[in-house]
Each structure stands twice: as structure tokens, then as C-alpha cells.
Amino acid sequence: MLNSSKTALITGITGQDGSFLSELLLKKGYEVFGIIRRSSTPNTSRIEHLLDNPSLHLCYCDLTDSSGICRIIRDIRPDEIYNLAAQSHVGVSFDQPEFTAEVNALGVLRILEAVRTAGLSHKTRIYQASTSELYGKVHEIPQSETTPFHPRSPYGVAKLYAFWIMKHYREAYGMFCSNGILFNHESERRGETFVTRKITKAAARISLGSNEVLTLGNLSAKRDWGYAKDYVECMHKILSHSHPDDFVIATGETKTVREFCTASFERAGIELVWLGEGLDECGIDKATGKTVVKVSPEFFRAAEVDLLLGDPSKAVSELGFNPRKTTFRELVEIMTDADIAKQKAVLEKQGTF
Ligand code: NAP
Ligand code: GDD
């Protein structure tokens, strides 16, 4: 159904979720404005295919720049804001805790204040990209909207501030501020330093002849992995809901990093056998006997989130969310197949395939 009169502002439009959400909103007839950061090399590869769309408008800004945010919101007067911009890498947040807080915590406050001071409190609906990292050292399994938070990283702590400042503006000023507490969601557009994409890229390259060894950290961490393309639909549903609220979006299934590896290599045609324990654990290619996966402390974190498993019942009943739309196996296949196709294209260009 077309929604031709609506205007949406997406922060983080160049990211994984931003690119899928722009596609969705453009298809629904929105005028989409996106905030991009100035960079010395192009950072719009994920939205390259949308750049000619006359309903897509990009403006330079940064979540650390209050005046820019105020100006853009005052000028656009958006019906909806999707705040997806963040320093989104949990591991990196241990190295850049202050920057992470500036963007992931105070960035949200800047948006809320810009909306309020522009007199848009009762017009603009705001979605905040909250996260299962809030549960951290989990207090119950599975985690739902009522599970207490216990973040385990500077990223998680910053996102906790963001979660509560959203709730505060909802309660104090009656603003339509909603948190989507999204569990891990991946895709063929996932950044290459997140574990799933790191795995699918390596599985593809190794299956096509590379001699590299995939080096990972904690293989036993468990995550509830869904497909990003499905999850952005929930972001839109959350802002289209009758009232502002917070929702867990998850599949209700959890797998270890090791299981993701096994499934991705299998899809790439390599049967993995796991040998050893702890730092000595490695994944062997059963057919050749070669080590293709090993462990390094370089990728361990100062504090780890061991197990995430979401309970999406509320989103299922109130938003009509289907947590089984893309299964774990299908997700692994989509990502691995995409990386195989990309690697084949690289090799073809080099004349080696
Ligand atoms: P992503 O691919 O890393 O994209 C992050 C986006 O934020 C990029 O467009 C990035 O711009 C932008 N950004 C970073 N710092 C910024 C700043 N200071 N000012 C303006 N823009 C900035 O992340 P994602 O996976 O799409 O995730 C989207 C959001 O959901 C993030 O807030 C993340 O924390 C949250 N989240 C993600 C997951 C998940 O599993 N994917 C789960 C729960 C919550 P550049 O392209 O210029 O770097
Ligand atoms: N990145 C990475 N690299 N993680 C590794 C590696 C590795 O080499 N080896 C093991 N892991 C483990 C991490 O320690 C973590 O337990 C798990 O794999 C997943 O790591 P990431 O893929 O980096 O994602 P994340 O769960 O820390 O964070 C993602 O999901 C959050 C939602 O729960 C990000 O998208 C966050 O922005 C998001 O909020």
C-alpha cells in the first residue's frame, strides 16, 4: 500500500539496516531522507542502487553534530525518524568507549531535543535501534521486554542510556518514541568484521581455493540470529503501531558461533571436524585434513555476552511479526551463496576462475 504523503529520516542509511529500510520505505511511497557522513572514500555502496531514485535525498550530518541534526529535522519536519546510526561494533566499543557513548547515547538525546525544540513532539514518530546487548549477562532465558538489563560492553551501556532516554521523552513529553530491541540480524550486506560475515566470506574464499585460515575468538558464544531484511519490516510496523512501545524482535532460536561456522562451510562444500579445546580448538577440513579455522585471543572481549535468546511473543501478537520467515539455515545459505558469487566474480576478473 502506498503511503505517498509520508516523510522519513533515516540515520545510518549507509549501514546494513539503513539500506534495507530505505528500500522498504521507498517501495511504500515515502520521501526518504538519509544522513550520511563525510568520508575520504565512498561509503554509499549499500545504497548505490537507490541513488537515482528521486524520492531519496541524502544530507551530510553526524550524530555528534547537534546543530546539523537540529537544522535537518527543522527543515524536513519528518513524520518518522529511524535512528539506526551507531558505532555498532561491540568489540570496537572497548577500544573507543567515549566515542561510542557520544554517538550511541548522546546522539539519541540530540535527535530527541531537535524534535522537541522544533515543535514536532506530536508529529514526529521516532524509532530507536535498541539491542539485545542490553541483556548482556542475562538474568533469564529467553529474554523478553520484561527481562532486566545488564550490559557487558561500552556499546551496551551507551545503548542502555539511549533506551531509557527514549522512554523518558515518551513519558515526560508524550512523544511517540519506540525502542526495537533487536537481536542479532545479519545479511549478505553485513559488515565484514561481524562474526557471521567474517565466516561466510572466509568459507567462500577457502572453498574457491584460498589457503587462508579463518581466525576467530569465542566459538561458544550463542546468538539468536535473524535476517536483517525481515527485521526492518518490524521497524516500520513499530512506528505504525497504535501507540509507542518497546518490542523484542528475535527468532526464538539460538546457535553457537561454531554451529554457524559448520553450517556455512557445509554450504560452501567443506565438511568441518572440530578438534581440541579453548585456544587449541580448530576446525579441520575433513576431506583434506587441513586446518581452516583456528582460535586467537585477539578476538576475545574483556567481558562477553555468552547467550542471547529472544522471546518475540509480543511482536508476534501485536505486530504480526513472523519469526520463522527466514530460518537459520536459509540465512546461512543466503550469506554464504552471496559471498561465493562475489568471490567468483573477483577470481573471474583476475582470470583465475
Ligand atoms: P552498521 O551496518 O554498522 O551501520 C551503522 C550506520 O551508522 C552506518 O550508516 C554508519 O555510517 C552510521 N554511523 C556511525 N557513526 C555515525 C555517526 N557518528 N553519525 C552518523 N552516522 C553514523 O549497523 P547495522 O547492523 O545496520 O545496525 C543498525 C543499528 O541497529 C545500529 O544502531 C546498531 O547498533 C543497531 N543494532 C544492530 C543489530 C544487528 O544485529 N545488526 C542488532 C541490534 C541493534 P558509515 O557507513 O559512514 O560508517
Ligand atoms: N566480531 C567477531 N569477530 N566476533 C567474534 C569473533 C570474531 O572473530 N569470534 C567470535 N566472536 C563472537 C563475539 O565474541 C560475540 O560473542 C559473537 O561472536 C557475535 O559477535 P559479533 O558478530 O561482533 O556481534 P555482537 O553480538 O557482538 O553484536 C552485534 O549484535 C548486537 C545485537 O545483539 C552487533 O550488530 C551489535 O550492533 C548489536 O547490537
Side-chain angles (χ1 to χ4, degrees):
M1 198 176 70
L2 286 188
N3 236 326
S4 55
S5 58
K6 287 203 170 171
T7 300
L9 173 65
I10 303 178
T11 73
I13 195 167
T14 56
Q16 170 189 258
D17 291 4
S19 66
F20 283 121
L21 181 65
S22 329
E23 283 170 9
L24 180 76
L25 296 183
L26 287 168
K27 254 191 222 135
K28 287 185 181 289
Y30 278 69
E31 284 296 306
V32 174
F33 290 79
I35 283 175
I36 58 166
R37 298 195 285 177
R38 195 269 156 184
S39 65
S40 64
T41 51
N43 59 358
T44 49
S45 61
R46 291 188 180 104
I47 51 168
E48 207 65 49
H49 58 296
L50 303 174
L51 293 180
D52 288 338
N53 190 317
S55 294
L56 178 71
H57 316 273
L58 299 180
C59 28
Y60 283 108
C61 194
D62 193 296
L63 281 203
T64 58
D65 176 5
S66 305
S67 59
I69 295 170
C70 284
R71 179 178 41 78
I72 287 169
I73 290 177
R74 199 184 51 228
D75 290 352
I76 299 172
R77 301 178 60 80
D79 296 295
E80 297 171 7
I81 297 178
Y82 295 87
N83 181 38
L84 310 183
Q87 191 302 92
S88 71
H89 201 285
V90 174
V92 170
S93 78
F94 288 91
D95 295 327
Q96 289 197 287
E98 186 180 335
F99 174 71
T100 303
E102 268 296 340
V103 179
N104 298 10
L106 292 183
V108 184
L109 178 65
R110 292 182 183 109
I111 290 173
L112 291 165
E113 272 299 284
V115 169
R116 195 173 74 84
T117 54
L120 299 171
S121 299
H122 298 291
K123 168 181 167 76
T124 305
R125 297 182 168 205
I126 309 170
Y127 171 89
Q128 164 59 15
S130 281
T131 164
S132 47
E133 279 291 306
L134 297 177
Y135 300 116
K137 192 171 165 63
V138 300
H139 288 213
E140 63 181 359
I141 302 169
Q143 297 90 46
S144 73
E145 292 80 4
T146 55
T147 304
F149 296 137
H150 188 150
R152 293 272 282 171
S153 63
Y155 170 88
V157 174
K159 286 278 186 177
L160 184 64
Y161 174 88
F163 178 91
W164 277 107
I165 202 71
M166 287 287 287
K167 265 185 104 108
H168 172 67
Y169 274 62
R170 187 198 302 164
E171 291 171 6
Y173 304 115
M175 289 167 61
F176 197 110
C177 298
S178 296
N179 287 292
I181 308 174
L182 271 55
F183 282 61
N184 296 53
H185 46 280
E186 319 292 314
S187 75
E188 63 280 22
R189 297 184 195 169
R190 185 60 145 153
E192 293 180 6
T193 60
F194 295 97
V195 77
T196 54
R197 187 71 201 290
K198 193 170 158 183
I199 293 168
T200 58
K201 192 176 168 211
R205 287 169 53 85
I206 293 168
S207 74
L208 290 168
S210 166
N211 281 324
E212 72 203 73
V213 176
L214 169 62
T215 308
L216 297 172
N218 182 3
L219 296 173
S220 300
K222 292 181 113 177
R223 290 291 181 276
D224 180 327
W225 276 300
Y227 187 31
K229 201 171 178 178
D230 301 340
Y231 284 23
V232 300
E233 289 177 17
C234 289
M235 297 178 185
H236 180 252
K237 284 182 176 164
I238 287 172
L239 283 200
S240 307
H241 200 45
S242 54
H243 57 279
D245 205 347
D246 308 318
F247 291 93
V248 161
I249 308 296
T251 69
E253 201 183 352
T254 190
K255 302 276 184 196
T256 61
V257 170
R258 191 182 295 102
E259 284 172 304
F260 193 102
C261 254
T262 302
S264 177
F265 275 82
E266 185 186 315
R267 180 68 179 177
I270 297 172
E271 190 181 343
L272 284 186
V273 178
W274 295 97
L275 295 178
E277 273 180 33
L279 284 176
D280 295 327
E281 184 166 1
C282 54
I284 311 280
D285 177 346
K286 192 175 175 193
T288 63
K290 270 172 46 182
T291 296
V292 287
V293 187
K294 66 177 184 178
V295 174
S296 164
E298 184 192 343
F299 297 106
F300 289 163
R301 293 171 184 175
E304 178 62 289
V305 172
D306 295 319
L307 163 70
L308 291 175
L309 174 64
D311 171 4
S313 310
K314 181 175 167 186
V316 171
S317 65
E318 291 191 30
L319 304 176
F321 169 56
N322 173 10
R324 291 278 179 273
K325 189 167 173 189
T326 306
T327 64
F328 173 76
R329 197 145 281 279
E330 286 165 345
L331 173 66
V332 172
E333 287 174 10
I334 291 167
M335 292 180 70
T336 310
D337 292 357
D339 272 323
I340 288 173
K342 274 190 196 134
Q343 180 60 10
K344 279 185 179 163
V346 169
L347 295 176
E348 264 161 20
K349 215 169 164 190
Q350 292 168 352
T352 50
F353 184 73

